[in-house]
């Protein structure tokens, strides 16, 4: 079946604008993760959804960042009032139930965000 | 907290050379350990994994052994190819939580 998909693949926005990034996980995967990959910071965890449980938001860098997951499937990451330091590649991953830590996370191709 | 320390890059090798990329970790409990690879212009892919102490993960000629006594998961390959040029990330996955990644090691293999 299809892998994890993300849209858009590239996004250029002006400082101060809001952006929405979308992730479609693999069908049947209950866990969904957002990560950020930026120069100098490596790969950072942002937020994690598992089923109907409250999301783990411990990695969100500021209150300008939020995410939701509708119907246990598609997720949207929203960045309000974007800043230049938000420029990065935003990666989404999904996996089977994470109670089994051996379950692989499958990554999407990412959205490259550039804030000018 | 959990952390992964990975060998600094970049690493440049000639084709057929032996590769080692060091990875050590700090974690509570017994996490699973992974190596992910990112080829130029592509997304992250799982290369290999190990879920408990002394497990050896292997794939595409790469190997790594989960060493609990030294908290290490070093990546090795006996004979690298140009096509192995990529960025390699060591990661740990504690029970029920997110992946924690190392900083990544850029590998370039010259013909």
């Amino acid at each position: 079946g299809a892998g994890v998909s993300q849209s858009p693949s590239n996004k250029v926005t002006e400082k101060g604008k809001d952006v929405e990034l979308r992730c479609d996980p693999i069908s049947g995967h209950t866990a969904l993760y957002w990560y950020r990959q930026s120069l100098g910071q490596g790969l950072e965890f942002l937020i994690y959804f598992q089923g109907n449980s409250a999301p783990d938001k411990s990695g969100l860098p500021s209150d300008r960042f939020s995410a939701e997951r509708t119907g246990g499937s598609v997720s949207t990451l929203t960045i309000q009032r974007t800043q230049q330091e938000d420029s990065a590649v935003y990666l989404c991953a999904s996996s089977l139930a994470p109670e089994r830590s051996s379950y692989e996370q499958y990554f999407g191709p990412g959205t490259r965000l550039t804030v000018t | 907290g959990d952390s992964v320390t990975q060998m600094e890059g970049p690493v440049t090798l000639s084709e057929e050379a032996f590769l080692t990329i060091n990875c050590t970790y700090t974690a509570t409990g017994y996490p699973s350990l992974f190596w992910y690879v990112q080829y130029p212009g592509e997304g992250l892919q799982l290369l290999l994994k190990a879920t408990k102490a002394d497990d050896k993960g292997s794939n595409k000629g790469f190997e790594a052994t989960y060493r609990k006594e030294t908290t290490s998961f070093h990546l090795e390959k006996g004979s690298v190819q140009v096509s192995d040029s990529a960025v390699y990330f060591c990661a740990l996955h504690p029970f029920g939580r997110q992946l924690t990644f190392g900083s990544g090691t850029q590998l370039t293999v010259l013909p």
Side-chain angles (χ1 to χ4, degrees), chain A residues 53-102:
Chain A
S53 302
D56 176 353
K57 305 179 182 180
S58 60
L60 294 178
S62 79
D63 58 9
R64 296 186 295 104
F65 288 71
S66 63
E68 63 177 18
R69 188 178 184 192
T70 53
S73 181
V74 171
S75 177
T76 302
L77 177 69
T78 301
I79 309 172
Q80 297 178 309
R81 306 181 302 281
T82 52
Q83 303 294 312
Q84 288 185 329
E85 61 263 28
D86 299 334
S87 296
V89 176
Y90 289 82
L91 297 171
C92 177
S94 70
S95 77
L96 294 169
E99 301 87 73
R100 294 284 302 277
S101 63
S102 60

Side-chain angles (χ1 to χ4, degrees), chain A residues 6-11 18-24 34-35 46 65-68 74-79 86 88-92 110-113:
Chain A
Q6 293 186 245
S7 61
S9 55
N10 281 284
K11 177 71 176 179
D18 297 353
V19 295
E20 286 189 350
L21 312 179
R22 177 187 168 104
C23 171
D24 281 273
W34 283 97
Y35 297 88
L46 297 177
F65 288 71
S66 63
E68 63 177 18
V74 171
S75 177
T76 302
L77 177 69
T78 301
I79 309 172
D86 299 334
V89 176
Y90 289 82
L91 297 171
C92 177
T111 293
R112 180 175 297 279
L113 175 66

